[in-house]
Amino acid sequence: MISFILKVLLLAIAFTFIYAWGYVKQQRKNEELLNALYKKAEAKILKELRKREFLTKKDIENLIKGTKASLFWSRSKVQVVDAKLVAKDLITKMTNEGLIVEMSNSKPKKYKLK
């Protein structure tokens, strides 16, 4: 009898843990989707910068336009629609992280690997 009660109690605890974990994952899904999108776009930019000496903001916008990302555990997908907004955020993020630097005295602004 005690063994049965213990098994039911452990099953309830496991179910509660799995439910809570799923709930938290669902709450953070949008944030994780955006992070995946930014990482994918960042990888595209770095790959292109390894091939070329520099990129302009317009080049970066054209490069990341239409980039898609998804999470393996979700059907949800996200795609770059407004490349100007995403490029601006990405350039700022990548410069702050020290991945790229702005070339001085250039019009339009050009960016290269650090």
Side-chain angles (χ1 to χ4, degrees):
M1 183 71 174
I2 293 178
S3 174
F4 176 73
I5 293 173
L6 187 59
K7 288 178 183 177
V8 169
L9 185 61
L10 287 175
L11 181 66
I13 290 171
F15 179 76
T16 304
F17 174 76
I18 291 170
Y19 179 78
W21 182 50
Y23 184 75
V24 169
K25 289 293 269 185
Q26 189 67 25
Q27 293 293 321
R28 295 184 180 164
K29 181 171 65 171
N30 290 338
E31 182 180 334
E32 288 184 34
L33 274 169
L34 286 176
N35 285 340
L37 180 69
Y38 275 87
K39 283 182 183 179
K40 202 169 187 179
E42 187 176 297
K44 279 185 171 183
I45 293 169
L46 292 175
K47 183 178 178 182
E48 189 66 25
L49 277 171
R50 286 186 189 102
K51 294 178 188 175
R52 297 168 52 181
E53 185 179 343
F54 61 86
L55 290 173
T56 65
K57 185 176 179 185
K58 192 69 174 170
D59 292 336
I60 293 173
E61 290 171 8
N62 291 333
L63 189 62
I64 64 173
K65 189 184 303 180
T67 303
K68 295 179 185 176
S70 64
L71 302 171
F72 73 92
W73 53 267
S74 173
R75 293 184 191 173
S76 300
K77 295 181 181 181
V78 67
Q79 179 178 1
V80 174
V81 177
D82 187 2
K84 288 183 180 186
L85 179 65
V86 176
K88 180 181 174 188
D89 289 344
L90 263 175
I91 290 170
T92 303
K93 180 180 178 271
M94 291 175 77
T95 348
N96 290 341
E97 290 176 357
L99 296 173
I100 61 173
V101 291
E102 182 179 330
M103 295 174 70
S104 58
N105 301 328
S106 62
K107 287 282 184 174
K109 292 182 180 179
K110 296 177 184 174
Y111 301 92
K112 65 178 182 176
L113 284 175
K114 186 169 184 179

